Amino acid sequence: MRRILSGLLFSATLLCNNLEATAQYNRVAMNREYIISLTPQWKGERLPDGRPFVSDDLLERLKKVVLTHAWGGLKKHKFNNQYQGNWMMVNPDKNTIMTGRAVTAQYMPLRPDFGDVIRKVGLAEGHGEKALSNVWPIEMLKEGDVYVADGFAKMNEGTLIGDRLANSIYSKSKRGVVFWGSVRNLQEIQKVEGFNGWILGNHPSAINEVMLTSINAPIRIGDATVLPGDVVYASPYGTLFLPAYLVEGIVLEAEISNLRHVYGIMRNKAGDWTTGQIDSDYTPQMNKEFHDYLRGLPDSKLPMPRKELNAYLEAKK
């Protein structure tokens, strides 16, 4: 019995030693399989890196959606932690709404030993040897991407980009950034045509004592959890991060809600419905009148394809 127990203990020790020998930190940018495993509910097309590919058409339609309607759609599906407000916008005067597919990045305070491991792994993945690691996510951007980064709210020496990198981001993605952190040289960043950003602040210092720890892994942006491939909705009124598989339904419901809002005000001004009626749930008769109104709208007045509207109305019968 003793010999059996000793043998088992010896085997267990060898197994543990073997696991320790093979386990290693081997990814900075997450691979396709990992990203797919994070987003199994998405059944549509994917980008080469594995992120869900929400169509450009839906991204454009989302720009016209009122934030509270999109937020309500998320709440309906029990996604209660996808909003973050209180941003500083790079170009607040442009009243921009930006939508796109999230590329996520996580930054942490520099720890030299871990930083050395990250650099070694990142170089093996093909990231630029001469570039600092804050350039690596930018190298991966494609048109339609929004660079979303957790810079752990560091202001002084936490500046994730300056104007040169802002130019590069826009040239690759035709979008901007959402940073839980800061930028430098805001005066020049504001001159980058088409670029906008949602940031915590700006500082004249260069980035220092900061290390990139992951690209396209889950991150936290303030009160929100963000996955790679989430659809970003960034507006002067705050940001939302929508799970890709919910976007189509949320956009359609939001478009219907906005049409309902406009229709209710129209009927109220005409004296047909009271304020109390339009500010509460519609009665069956009110819904019928609203749906008849939708059927009669010309295609040019619809925010959604006629086919989607017809399917929605058929489901509501």
Side-chain angles (χ1 to χ4, degrees):
M1 186 65 175
R2 257 176 158 178
R3 281 201 295 269
I4 292 172
L5 288 173
S6 297
L8 289 172
L9 182 60
F10 179 71
S11 298
T13 302
L14 283 177
L15 178 60
C16 287
N17 289 339
N18 186 54
L19 287 173
E20 288 173 3
T22 56
Q24 57 180 325
Y25 182 87
N26 60 6
R27 300 294 312 178
V28 176
M30 301 300 109
N31 60 21
R32 179 180 174 86
E33 290 73 24
Y34 176 82
I35 294 172
I36 290 173
S37 75
L38 288 177
T39 56
Q41 295 92 340
W42 175 257
K43 305 303 180 185
E45 184 182 350
R46 290 183 180 269
L47 292 158
D49 61 14
R51 287 178 299 136
F53 180 79
V54 174
S55 71
D56 293 334
D57 176 64
L58 271 176
L59 295 180
E60 284 300 310
R61 285 167 60 186
L62 182 59
K63 286 182 182 179
K64 300 179 180 71
V65 167
V66 177
L67 183 142
T68 51
H69 292 165
W71 177 82
L74 287 166
K75 293 281 287 185
K76 178 180 176 181
H77 291 279
K78 303 189 185 304
F79 282 80
N80 302 319
N81 302 295
Q82 302 307 120
Y83 171 79
Q84 179 59 44
N86 301 318
W87 293 102
M88 173 182 178
M89 285 179 64
V90 168
N91 282 304
D93 57 312
K94 294 186 177 177
N95 203 34
T96 302
I97 293 180
M98 177 179 70
T99 61
R101 310 170 193 95
V103 168
T104 61
Q106 178 76 60
Y107 292 88
M108 293 183 184
L110 177 63
R111 173 174 164 144
D113 53 354
F114 188 27
D116 289 343
V117 172
I118 291 167
R119 185 145 191 91
K120 180 180 178 181
V121 172
L123 293 179
E125 288 177 359
H127 299 295
E129 184 173 359
K130 293 183 179 179
L132 295 175
S133 61
N134 66 312
V135 175
W136 295 354
I138 299 171
E139 294 171 334
M140 300 173 62
L141 294 174
K142 307 294 183 189
E143 187 165 344
D145 289 342
V146 175
Y147 178 20
V148 184
D150 178 7
F152 60 97
K154 183 176 172 66
M155 295 290 110
N156 183 14
E157 298 186 338
T159 51
L160 298 179
I161 62 168
D163 61 300
R164 287 192 296 270
L165 294 186
N167 269 288
S168 179
I169 289 167
Y170 189 77
S171 69
K172 291 174 179 294
S173 68
K174 300 299 183 285
R175 300 294 194 277
V177 302
V178 179
F179 285 168
W180 195 249
S182 60
V183 303
R184 72 188 298 258
N185 210 356
L186 181 62
Q187 185 176 0
E188 294 301 309
I189 290 177
Q190 289 176 330
K191 297 176 184 177
V192 179
E193 187 65 33
F195 182 89
N196 213 337
W198 282 254
I199 59 177
L200 295 185
N202 67 291
H203 198 278
S205 60
I207 191 168
N208 189 36
E209 293 296 315
V210 173
M211 62 181 183
L212 173 74
T213 58
S214 70
I215 303 171
N216 280 336
I219 63 171
R220 173 186 169 186
I221 297 292
D223 293 334
T225 298
V226 186
L227 298 188
D230 276 358
V231 168
V232 178
Y233 175 102
S235 80
Y237 318 106
T239 56
L240 293 171
F241 305 95
L242 293 82
Y245 73 99
L246 294 179
V247 171
E248 184 174 5
I250 287 175
V251 167
L252 179 61
E253 287 284 352
E255 290 167 339
I256 296 291
S257 292
N258 190 57
L259 288 169
R260 185 190 305 271
H261 177 75
V262 171
Y263 180 72
I265 291 174
M266 180 180 73
R267 295 298 300 270
N268 178 250
K269 285 182 176 179
D272 300 328
W273 293 354
T274 68
T275 303
Q277 284 179 303
I278 68 171
D279 199 39
S280 57
D281 291 339
Y282 282 10
T283 64
Q285 178 58 33
M286 291 169 71
N287 270 321
K288 180 183 182 304
E289 292 175 24
F290 173 55
H291 291 168
D292 288 343
Y293 164 78
L294 292 180
R295 291 186 183 93
L297 282 175
D299 290 357
S300 61
K301 297 290 186 182
L302 293 177
M304 74 287 286
R306 174 69 65 179
K307 182 179 178 181
E308 285 188 30
L309 176 62
N310 288 343
Y312 172 86
L313 293 173
E314 186 65 27
K316 293 296 179 180
K317 281 185 177 178

